[in-house]
């Protein structure tokens, strides 16, 4: 039996509490259900125990497992590989994601990208 994606749910992965909360607030204000975690490991744990979100917003520079490592693990898992990812980072860029944004974010552009995958 296939597990359906949670409607309008977005997983935010960012180790910086201020950035994580800002992303969650902006997305929540747009009507999305947001699950926010502080590490790539916590994101993988969540993804292995919950219905898949419609989108992952992924910070790249995090202690321990970085965004690049998370993306590698995600793509190796057939249950997770199809979940689209938007990368966000103050430094660096993921090339194998749907969109990649530099911090500080231009929220209007960011939300346009989100809507392409969630609405």
């Amino acid at each position: 039996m296939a597990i359906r994606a949670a409607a309008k749910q977005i997983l935010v992965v960012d180790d910086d509490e201020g950035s994580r909360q800002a992303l969650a607030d902006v997305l929540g204000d747009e009507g999305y259900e947001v699950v926010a975690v502080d590490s790539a490991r916590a994101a993988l744990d969540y993804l292995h125990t919950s219905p898949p979100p419609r989108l992952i917003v992924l910070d790249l520079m995090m202690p321990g497992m970085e965004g690049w490592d998370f993306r590698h693990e995600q793509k190796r898992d057939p249950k997770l590989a199809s979940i689209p990812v938007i990368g966000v980072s103050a430094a660096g860029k993921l090339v194998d994601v749907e969109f990649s944004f530099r911090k500080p974010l231009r929220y209007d552009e960011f939300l346009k990208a989100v809507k392409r995958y969630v609405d």
Side-chain angles (χ1 to χ4, degrees), residues 4-11 32-33 46-47 51-57 74 82-86 98 114-119:
R4 291 188 53 213
K8 294 189 88 169
Q9 186 186 82
I10 298 171
L11 175 62
Y32 300 109
E33 177 187 336
Y46 175 83
L47 290 167
R54 297 286 301 274
L55 176 70
I56 298 170
V57 177
Q74 179 201 8
S82 65
I83 303 169
V85 173
I86 292 177
E98 283 64 30
V114 168
K115 289 173 197 245
R116 289 186 63 180
Y117 295 96
V118 184
D119 289 343

Side-chain angles (χ1 to χ4, degrees), residues 32-102:
Y32 300 109
E33 177 187 336
V34 180
V35 174
V37 297
D38 64 359
S39 70
R41 180 57 50 206
L44 288 172
D45 291 345
Y46 175 83
L47 290 167
H48 288 126
T49 59
S50 304
R54 297 286 301 274
L55 176 70
I56 298 170
V57 177
L58 178 65
D59 183 26
L60 301 184
M61 305 296 288
M62 294 182 283
M65 178 184 280
E66 292 187 335
W68 292 276
D69 301 319
F70 169 89
R71 185 72 171 134
H72 178 73
E73 290 297 317
Q74 179 201 8
K75 290 180 2 184
R76 286 182 37 192
D77 187 330
K79 294 177 184 172
L80 307 178
S82 65
I83 303 169
V85 173
I86 292 177
V88 294
S89 182
K93 185 175 180 178
L94 268 177
V95 294
D96 67 341
V97 295
E98 283 64 30
F99 286 93
S100 190
F101 291 95
R102 302 277 299 211

